[in-house]
Amino acid sequence: MVDCLFCKIINRGIPASIVYEDERVLAFNDINPQAPTHILVVPKRHVASLNDLSVEDDQLVGELVRRAAAIANERGISAGGFRTVFNTNRDAGQTVFHIHLHLLGGRSLQWPPG
Ligand code: AMP
Ligand code: ZN
């Protein structure tokens, strides 16, 4: 999608600190990290939000979640714990409308979130 920030990162139109890539998934460091590890795991195919997923996307969503867990494991934060978050629309504070799974870890995280 032409005007999508994350599609531009996927297409190398703007730079990002990429930590993982395969045919369907890209992961890169968040530009404004909220924890020592703060990575965004995104599908290469543009999907605006969780509200736009269909049954055909079930495998893709599974790949995003499993990739986040694999990266957490590589970073050594699996046993200590980490958080994965999809923000959806205004009340959750979604600002980029290309789905992205936040992977946060490396410090103790508060619950409930703000
Ligand atoms: P959300 O509020 O869930 O939509 O999250 C969007 C995330 O994208 C925020 O954590 C931003 O810091 C992050 N972000 C925005 N622009 C960039 C960028 N150019 N590269 C990496 N992360 C970005
Ligand atoms: Zn996009």
Side-chain angles (χ1 to χ4, degrees), residues 16-39:
S17 172
I18 293 169
V19 301
Y20 176 83
E21 179 169 26
D22 65 26
E23 309 86 69
R24 290 173 301 282
V25 173
L26 189 74
F28 50 92
N29 288 311
D30 195 292
I31 203 167
N32 183 24
Q34 301 301 309
T37 292
H38 187 175
I39 290 167

Side-chain angles (χ1 to χ4, degrees), residues 42-64:
V42 309
K44 288 190 170 177
R45 191 162 68 75
H46 180 86
V47 181
S49 84
L50 260 57
N51 292 331
D52 302 292
L53 289 169
S54 66
V55 67
E56 287 81 35
D57 299 312
D58 285 1
Q59 170 150 355
L60 183 60
V61 174
E63 288 182 33
L64 299 179

Side-chain angles (χ1 to χ4, degrees), residues 99-113:
I99 59 172
H100 46 282
L101 181 58
H102 292 261
L103 166 62
L104 294 143
R107 68 172 174 84
S108 181
L109 301 162
Q110 302 304 304
W111 192 265

Side-chain angles (χ1 to χ4, degrees), residues 2-18 26 28-29 31 96:
V2 179
D3 268 337
C4 172
L5 177 65
F6 289 172
C7 283
K8 287 178 183 162
I9 288 175
I10 291 159
N11 295 323
R12 305 302 202 271
I14 62 170
S17 172
I18 293 169
L26 189 74
F28 50 92
N29 288 311
I31 203 167
V96 179

